[in-house]
Amino acid sequence: MLLLSCSKDDGDVDHTPLQKVSLTVKSIYKDAGGNITLTNEYTYDSQKRMKTHKAINKNPQLNAITTYDYENGKITSIKDYDDPSKPLEKKIYFYNANGMVKEEEYINNVLKYIIEWYHRSDGGKERRIKNPSGHLFETWYYRFTSSGNIQRVVLDYTDNADDDTEYIFSNYDTKKRSEVSYLNAVLPSLLMQIEGTKLSIQNNPQTFAQKSLVTGGYLINSKIEYTYNIKDQVTQMKIFRAHNNDLVYNITLEYQDF
C-alpha cells in the first residue's frame, strides 16, 4: 500500500506570478550640438536592485564600472576606472529601521571619510562629513516637502574660505523619479532606490538652482522639460538655462522589464 501525505493544502501556495518591474538600462547624454558626452548602462540582480553601472565617457579616462553588493542594512559600491592610474573608489552605506546611519568612503581600500547621518525632529536630515580622526569638513542640510521630495539643501563648509552653497528644487511633477536627475548632485542616487534608506524621493523637479551663499549669485539656474512613456517614466530630459532658454543637455533613457 502506498501512503501519500501533504504538509499543507494547495490553497496555501501562492501561485500569483511575480510582477515585472520596468527599470532603467541606459541613459545617453548629448550636448546642445547633439554630440554624445556620456552613456550609462545599468544591470540588476534577481531582486531588481542595481548590480552594475557602466559609464562610457567622452573622456575615456573617466570610463568606469561600479558594482554593488547588498547585505542586511548595508550597501557596498566599488568604482573601478578603466584608467589604471586612477584609484579604486569604495563606498559603504549603513542604514537601520530609522533610515540612513553612516557612510564610509575608501580610496584604494584606505578609509578617507566617515559620513554620519542625523534625523531632525522637523523631518529634515543632516550628513556630517569627517576624516577618520574626527575632523569635520562639511555638513549637508536637507529639507523635504510634505510628499517627501527634496526642497532645499545647504552645503556648509567648516573652512570659511570655502563657498557655502544652496541647492533649490521646485515645481515637481507627479511622475516616477528618473534615474538621471539633478537630485544626484546632493544625494547618492543609489540611496533613493533602496526603500530601507528612507530616502525614496518620488518625483522630478522641473526647476533647479544652485547658489553661492557668499555672493548670492547663481552657479546653475535651470529649467527641465520631461517626456514620459505610458508608465509615467521619464524617457527624455531637456535641460535649459533659465535666463535665456538655451539648451544645455538632452538626455534620453531606455527601460527594460525584469
Side-chain angles (χ1 to χ4, degrees):
M1 178 183 294
L2 179 62
L3 299 178
L4 301 176
S5 64
C6 183
S7 60
K8 63 180 181 179
D9 294 336
D10 185 63
D12 295 329
V13 179
D14 185 2
H15 295 288
T16 304
L18 293 176
Q19 185 175 5
K20 287 194 172 185
V21 177
S22 183
L23 300 171
T24 310
V25 292
K26 182 181 285 189
S27 59
I28 301 172
Y29 289 66
K30 294 182 180 180
D31 61 21
N35 304 299
I36 296 177
T37 59
L38 174 65
T39 299
N40 295 305
E41 298 175 351
Y42 310 93
T43 67
Y44 300 86
D45 65 15
S46 60
Q47 297 187 46
K48 317 291 193 295
R49 302 172 301 193
M50 190 173 294
K51 181 179 179 181
T52 65
H53 165 210
K54 181 178 181 180
I56 305 167
N57 205 286
K58 181 180 179 180
N59 178 357
Q61 290 184 320
L62 299 178
N63 291 348
I65 295 180
T66 305
T67 58
Y68 302 93
D69 182 68
Y70 302 86
E71 301 175 48
N72 185 28
K74 178 182 174 182
I75 309 167
T76 302
S77 73
I78 298 177
K79 187 174 186 178
D80 189 6
Y81 288 92
D82 289 356
D83 183 349
S85 68
K86 290 190 175 298
L88 194 71
E89 299 177 6
K90 181 169 72 173
K91 298 181 181 181
I92 305 177
Y93 307 94
F94 300 89
Y95 60 95
N96 59 23
N98 296 317
M100 285 299 301
V101 177
K102 185 177 71 168
E103 303 171 46
E104 294 176 350
E105 295 190 6
Y106 297 79
I107 300 294
N108 284 334
N109 289 316
V110 176
L111 180 62
K112 291 295 183 180
Y113 300 106
I114 297 172
I115 303 162
E116 299 171 339
W117 280 78
Y118 296 87
H119 304 269
R120 299 157 58 102
S121 59
D122 62 2
K125 302 183 190 300
E126 297 180 18
R127 294 171 72 221
R128 300 178 188 172
I129 301 179
K130 303 177 180 180
N131 66 14
S133 64
H135 174 72
L136 179 66
F137 287 101
E138 60 192 55
T139 302
W140 292 75
Y141 299 93
Y142 297 86
R143 186 172 71 193
F144 299 84
T145 66
S146 58
S147 60
N149 290 313
I150 293 178
Q151 185 176 51
R152 181 174 182 262
V153 180
V154 171
L155 170 55
D156 181 15
Y157 291 101
T158 303
D159 190 336
N160 291 332
D162 293 320
D163 191 353
D164 295 344
T165 307
E166 177 184 26
Y167 302 80
I168 303 170
F169 303 89
S170 55
N171 195 21
Y172 276 86
D173 64 14
T174 57
K175 311 297 185 181
K176 296 177 182 177
R177 180 186 55 80
S178 169
E179 171 66 35
V180 175
S181 176
Y182 270 123
L183 294 166
N184 300 350
V186 299
L187 198 63
S189 61
L190 181 71
L191 301 187
M192 292 184 277
Q193 302 167 43
I194 305 300
E195 187 175 348
T197 66
K198 312 286 188 186
L199 293 166
S200 297
I201 312 305
Q202 298 300 310
N203 310 119
N204 303 287
Q206 296 175 96
T207 54
F208 166 72
Q210 182 179 343
K211 297 174 64 176
S212 165
L213 288 177
V214 175
T215 66
Y218 284 98
L219 305 174
I220 298 174
N221 192 10
S222 299
K223 298 189 302 183
I224 308 105
E225 291 183 1
Y226 301 96
T227 302
Y228 312 93
N229 61 21
I230 59 174
K231 297 178 181 179
D232 284 346
Q233 295 169 309
V234 175
T235 57
Q236 184 180 39
M237 293 174 56
K238 289 185 176 181
I239 300 172
F240 300 88
R241 292 187 178 90
H243 69 283
N244 60 10
N245 285 322
D246 281 353
L247 178 66
V248 180
Y249 275 107
N250 182 5
I251 306 167
T252 56
L253 294 97
E254 299 176 12
Y255 298 87
Q256 182 177 327
D257 288 343
F258 292 88

